[in-house]
Amino acid sequence: MAKGTIIRFDLSAPKIAAKAKAGQFVIVRVNETGERIPLTIADKDEFAGTITIIFQIVGKTTALMRSLKEGDLIRDVVGPLGRPAEVENLGTVVMVGGGTGVAILHHVAKAFKEAGNYVISIMGARDRELIILEREMAQISDELVITTDDGSYGQRGFVTDPLKKYLGERYDIKLVYAIGPIIMMKNIVKLTKQHQVKTLVSLNPIMIDGTGMCGGCRVKVNDQTMFCCVDGPDFDGFQVDFDELILRNSLYLKEEKDSLLFSIR
Amino acid sequence: MLDHDVKYLRFKSYLNTYCPHCQNSFNVDKKSHKQLEFKAVYEGQPIDLFLSPYLDVFEVEASIPLKKDDVLDDLICPHCNNSLIKKDIQCGECGSHVAYVTITAVSRLIPFFICTKYGCEWHGLTKKDERHIKLKIPRQNMPEQDQTLRVHNHQEVPYGYTSELALLEAGRCLQCKNPQCVTGCPVNVDIPVFVALVADGQFDAAAKKIKERNVFPAICGRVCPQENQCELKCILGVKDDPVAIGRLERFVADYERKMELVKIPMAAKNTGKKIAVIGSGPGGLTVASDMRQLGYSVTVFEALHELGGVLTYGIPEFRLPKSVVQFEIDYLKQLGVRFELNHVIGNIYTIDELLEHFDAVYIGVGAGLPMFMGVEGENLGNVFSANEYLTRMNLMKAYRFPEYDTPMPKGNRVAVIGGGNVAMDCARTAQRTGAQEVTIVYRRSRHELPARIEEVHHAEEEGIRFMLLTSPIRYIGTDSNRVKAMECIRMKLGEPDASGRRRPVPIEGSNFVQDCDMVIIAIGNGPNPVIFSSSPNLKRNKWGYIEYNPETMETSIENVYAGGDIVTGSATVIQAMGAGRIAANAMHAKLQSKK
């Protein structure tokens, strides 16, 4: 994995591994005082009974997870949660992933490839250090484009640039599947809307229980309130209210910082 | 004054008017208001005793001066001339056949317990007199935490009865021949018998009596809406206050727990059959307990990381201490029930898969999908569902943030939408986190508030404002998309609707804006879709709840039972337990006949 901030775990969870499908997630609570955080299943190995999660260190819980060593235990892992991605043979599909979103994209792209699609993958990151799963993605993609914001690797620019090119050149693209920062998904949807290409986005709002109980993860889709954990996480990108989602996801930034400071102290 | 004396009635009357051997009391003719004469023997000499029997004043005089604590050799009933002392039994203390009479000039005590052992009618009070006396005792209040102090902590508000209060309260029960209270109880606890045991001081036996029908009296005694169930039917309640059955239930359960008298019952011989229970809420735990005791091996699946369902994530610590819930769960563990945490049935296993490994399945997942009103601005920051708020606070212990990692939602002016128990819980929790003003916004009037009266009362004591006949129509956000105010409309009550309550009708043009920086929406829950998505053959009714046979609680899938909120919609803890009990009995009957 990329050094430092992006971490990969293989968790031994045979029951979940046996059931997990692409696009589903797990909720993890590291220790007794920990919070519950949703992490998408990036891969699974039914025979070894493991699931793979990939995360970036953004807050206290992920920082805490970084300190775990091989063989350590995580207090709670619950899953698989959410609806699996609807995978079918459509012809040509474009898979777009930004940042750690690629971790999830990999699982879904693999499923689309196995279903017989022509898979074009576009993955983006801030810089070279944050590119993950390049080899794995290359294996399952028919075409792979990598972009970095600073141009330190692959094309310079955002994932929307190659996407725009593809949409302009190829008229057989049936589906765009996007996952990554909300703002990225928002821009992708803006673009695909112009070309009227069906777009699925995988959302990752703030969640607590992950079973439809709290409603903390609600998103507005087609002017209706949906619960990401049981109705999603994949939604029709054209109908998602991204602005609201951005604001909802930034509600606890201050507390997040307080929590980190507390743990350092 | 009277209250004080009445409090110790039983003990004092024991000293005054009881034979220490047979514990029978002497009786007095109150109607005549005349002095009654007892024949007694004192130091070998026959003497006369006079009792002047006013209801409130009970005087004892003797023909020779007796001192306090003098011991009589014998005491004879003036009517049947039987000795009130059993000659063949000696006092364990002194070895003599004695009665013990304390002499006080005036004691405001009433002879209370009834002597019928000698077949002398006069020994006993008539039913009518007994009633008359009992009616004089007021319903006893539970001591509770001071209202100004308790809003600063999360500890339980009521302390519970002391044994004196419990004895007194239990003494109020008229022991009706045809007890209505039992019919009001969803699990038909034999209430008069347990209350009589309390009145007799046999607290442990009383707790065991309740447990024959209700596995978790400590929980039900705290959270049951008794005023709509057993206490509603109490005959005393017609003219006066009903017997505080719930408080007594709580007292005996706490007594049993604190005195470590809880015994793990022997499970019946293992039947070799296996039961899966989905959800570890009150209903699921009841099924688990019943079936385990009948000799089945039981596995309970829970989606969250802690057991107890709504008892753990929903009801706050100050109303139901988590140690009480934990105790009951430990009890089940010792009984041999297996628990599997973090298992979301529907995702990790489907019901069909469970049926491959288990002989029967019970679905007790509750109604866990919070409802929203669908008004503008509902997805603003700091607008929460009651479930989210309570889950953060209770399950994730956000009130101890940052020691616990889950952030605590904070607000200075908090509005809670809804008038049920959950709304009260949210409001009182918010008050405890230091909110300056907490308002309950409810669209009907005070009379229709669905919350328990006790909870409304507690909330008011703690300074929570009630804004009745009001409904929010829009939430207004700040630039950073957090709620800063809400627009409300006043309501009036119109014609009664299907539920029999008068329908609230908005008053045109009565809109006003109320400032608030946090909103908690507590207007109820719907069925969670997770379990259905994997079991399309599980039939649902038009509200989306599971269809079931009310006699057996069996669903459209054979050997799959369901009960609690997932079949009825949001209801109470005890109703879920009642459903669990019916299902357990039906399951047992069916599995037994299958042999």
Side-chain angles (χ1 to χ4, degrees), chain B residues 509-522:
Chain B
S510 63
N511 303 23
F512 64 98
V513 172
Q514 159 96 10
D515 284 351
C516 58
D517 57 7
M518 181 160 112
V519 176
I520 303 167
I521 299 170

Side-chain angles (χ1 to χ4, degrees), chain B residues 38-256:
Chain B
F38 277 77
K39 289 187 170 59
V41 182
Y42 177 66
E43 291 183 338
Q45 302 286 318
I47 57 162
D48 292 331
L49 277 181
F50 301 99
L51 305 172
S52 50
Y54 300 104
L55 256 181
D56 298 359
V57 182
F58 185 45
E59 273 179 71
V60 182
E61 281 174 36
S63 55
I64 58 165
L66 285 175
K67 292 188 295 297
K68 190 170 184 264
D69 295 346
D70 269 350
V71 175
L72 296 170
D73 297 342
D74 200 358
L75 200 62
I76 294 150
C77 168
H79 271 244
C80 63
N81 286 327
N82 277 320
S83 169
L84 290 168
I85 294 166
K86 266 193 171 175
K87 291 285 181 193
D88 52 339
I89 299 172
Q90 291 191 331
C91 172
E93 287 282 319
C94 61
S96 58
H97 314 290
V98 289
Y100 199 72
V101 179
T102 41
I103 307 298
T104 45
V106 176
S107 79
R108 309 179 67 189
L109 292 170
I110 312 155
F112 198 73
F113 287 83
I114 306 148
C115 168
T116 48
K117 275 194 182 164
Y118 295 89
C120 167
E121 257 180 45
W122 195 82
H123 278 143
L125 289 170
T126 63
K127 213 66 183 165
K128 205 176 146 195
D129 293 339
E130 188 194 333
R131 234 174 125 124
H132 195 75
I133 292 166
K134 289 188 171 184
L135 286 172
K136 286 214 143 198
I137 312 170
R139 182 176 160 116
Q140 303 298 306
N141 287 324
M142 257 195 297
E144 54 187 34
Q145 259 200 76
D146 184 79
Q147 40 183 293
T148 49
L149 288 179
R150 71 181 188 229
V151 294
H152 301 294
N153 66 49
H154 288 265
Q155 278 142 31
E156 192 175 15
V157 170
Y159 294 125
Y161 275 156
T162 58
S163 48
E164 282 90 0
L165 288 172
L167 285 167
L168 200 57
E169 183 61 39
R172 297 179 64 225
C173 175
L174 297 179
Q175 296 291 321
C176 308
K177 272 203 180 112
N178 181 13
Q180 291 302 305
C181 45
V182 181
T183 64
C185 175
V187 293
N188 304 113
V189 170
D190 201 342
I191 294 166
V193 176
F194 110 73
V195 175
L197 286 168
V198 179
D200 204 29
Q202 303 182 47
F203 304 139
D204 186 29
K208 302 278 185 295
K209 187 78 207 166
I210 302 176
K211 283 198 169 171
E212 287 173 14
R213 304 288 315 172
N214 177 351
V215 211
F216 309 116
I219 294 169
C220 291
R222 287 177 165 85
V223 301
C224 261
Q226 289 99 7
E227 63 275 9
N228 297 328
Q229 296 174 346
C230 49
E231 293 180 16
L232 180 72
K233 302 270 176 106
C234 180
I235 294 296
L236 277 181
V238 178
K239 278 190 175 162
D240 202 357
D241 296 321
V243 176
I245 299 166
R247 295 171 183 178
L248 290 172
E249 182 183 21
R250 174 195 158 129
F251 167 76
V252 293
D254 286 356
Y255 178 89
E256 190 194 29

Side-chain angles (χ1 to χ4, degrees), chain A residues 73-124:
Chain A
L73 295 174
I74 287 183
R75 189 85 167 72
D76 300 287
V77 181
V78 54
L81 299 168
R83 286 165 185 270
E86 283 170 23
V87 179
E88 48 193 325
N89 190 351
L90 296 165
T92 307
V93 293
V94 179
M95 313 301 284
V96 190
T100 40
V102 176
I104 308 145
L105 188 75
H106 168 247
H107 203 195
V108 181
K110 195 163 118 187
F112 270 100
K113 181 70 194 162
E114 279 163 7
N117 290 286
Y118 185 85
V119 176
I120 301 168
S121 299
I122 304 171
M123 45 194 273

Side-chain angles (χ1 to χ4, degrees), chain B residues 272-574:
Chain B
K273 294 202 167 85
K274 296 196 285 183
I275 310 294
V277 175
I278 310 172
S280 68
L285 293 181
T286 305
V287 175
S289 157
D290 283 10
M291 293 309 274
R292 180 67 203 125
Q293 285 185 47
L294 289 167
Y296 296 87
S297 80
V298 181
T299 309
V300 179
F301 296 96
E302 166 60 45
L304 294 174
H305 60 258
E306 267 185 50
L307 295 165
V310 74
L311 307 172
T312 299
Y313 78 77
I315 303 175
E317 174 80 17
F318 56 82
R319 203 148 76 80
L320 177 64
K322 299 306 152 225
S323 59
V324 174
V325 181
Q326 196 51 49
F327 185 87
E328 303 296 0
I329 288 165
D330 289 345
Y331 168 84
L332 288 185
K333 282 182 183 162
Q334 287 174 39
L335 205 58
V337 176
R338 284 186 60 204
F339 289 99
E340 293 279 5
L341 293 169
N342 294 327
H343 279 60
V344 182
I345 301 299
N347 284 349
I348 192 116
Y349 301 124
T350 63
I351 288 175
D352 292 340
E353 282 169 338
L354 285 180
L355 281 173
E356 286 167 20
H357 298 281
F358 295 92
D359 296 281
V361 175
Y362 179 79
I363 307 174
V365 297
L369 201 75
M371 288 193 209
F372 290 92
M373 291 166 73
V375 301
E376 190 189 325
E378 217 160 31
N379 292 347
L380 287 170
N382 267 13
V383 180
F384 299 97
S385 72
N387 270 4
E388 179 178 357
Y389 184 69
L390 292 175
T391 305
R392 277 175 186 271
M393 297 302 282
N394 299 331
L395 181 72
M396 306 309 297
K397 303 206 166 47
Y399 63 87
R400 286 163 72 182
F401 180 84
E403 182 193 342
Y404 280 72
D405 296 345
T406 307
M408 174 173 79
K410 253 192 235 155
N412 278 330
R413 297 179 62 120
V414 181
V416 181
I417 318 297
N421 287 319
V422 175
M424 302 299 147
D425 286 348
C426 292
R428 294 173 67 194
T429 305
Q431 187 82 328
R432 279 164 174 73
T433 62
Q436 280 164 10
E437 186 185 75
V438 182
T439 312
I440 287 197
V441 182
Y442 180 57
R443 60 195 180 132
R444 290 188 168 96
S445 73
R446 176 170 297 264
H447 184 67
E448 282 87 11
L449 276 172
R452 293 185 61 192
I453 305 158
E454 195 175 305
E455 299 309 321
V456 176
H457 176 68
H458 275 144
E460 280 185 327
E461 271 183 358
E462 286 165 17
I464 285 152
R465 267 183 66 202
F466 281 73
M467 212 155 81
L468 300 163
L469 287 166
T470 307
S471 184
I473 51 171
R474 184 165 70 99
Y475 301 102
I476 303 159
T478 59
D479 297 337
S480 62
N481 233 26
R482 284 174 190 252
V483 67
K484 69 171 182 191
M486 61 178 184
E487 187 175 337
C488 297
I489 191 161
R490 295 271 183 213
M491 312 289 263
K492 63 182 177 203
L493 292 178
E495 293 300 304
D497 62 7
S499 69
R501 295 181 300 179
R502 292 176 65 194
R503 188 196 303 273
V505 186
I507 303 170
E508 292 276 325
S510 63
N511 303 23
F512 64 98
V513 172
Q514 159 96 10
D515 284 351
C516 58
D517 57 7
M518 181 160 112
V519 176
I520 303 167
I521 299 170
I523 56 166
N525 290 310
N528 191 309
V530 172
I531 200 132
F532 301 108
S533 56
S534 67
S535 298
N537 49 346
L538 193 61
K539 273 197 197 137
R540 303 163 76 178
N541 65 19
K542 61 176 171 178
W543 298 281
Y545 297 108
I546 299 178
E547 246 183 45
Y548 69 109
N549 173 352
E551 272 162 36
T552 61
M553 310 306 288
E554 197 164 359
T555 64
S556 54
I557 306 176
E558 205 189 346
N559 289 330
V560 176
Y561 297 77
D565 286 5
I566 193 63
V567 302
T568 57
S570 302
T572 60
V573 167
I574 188 75

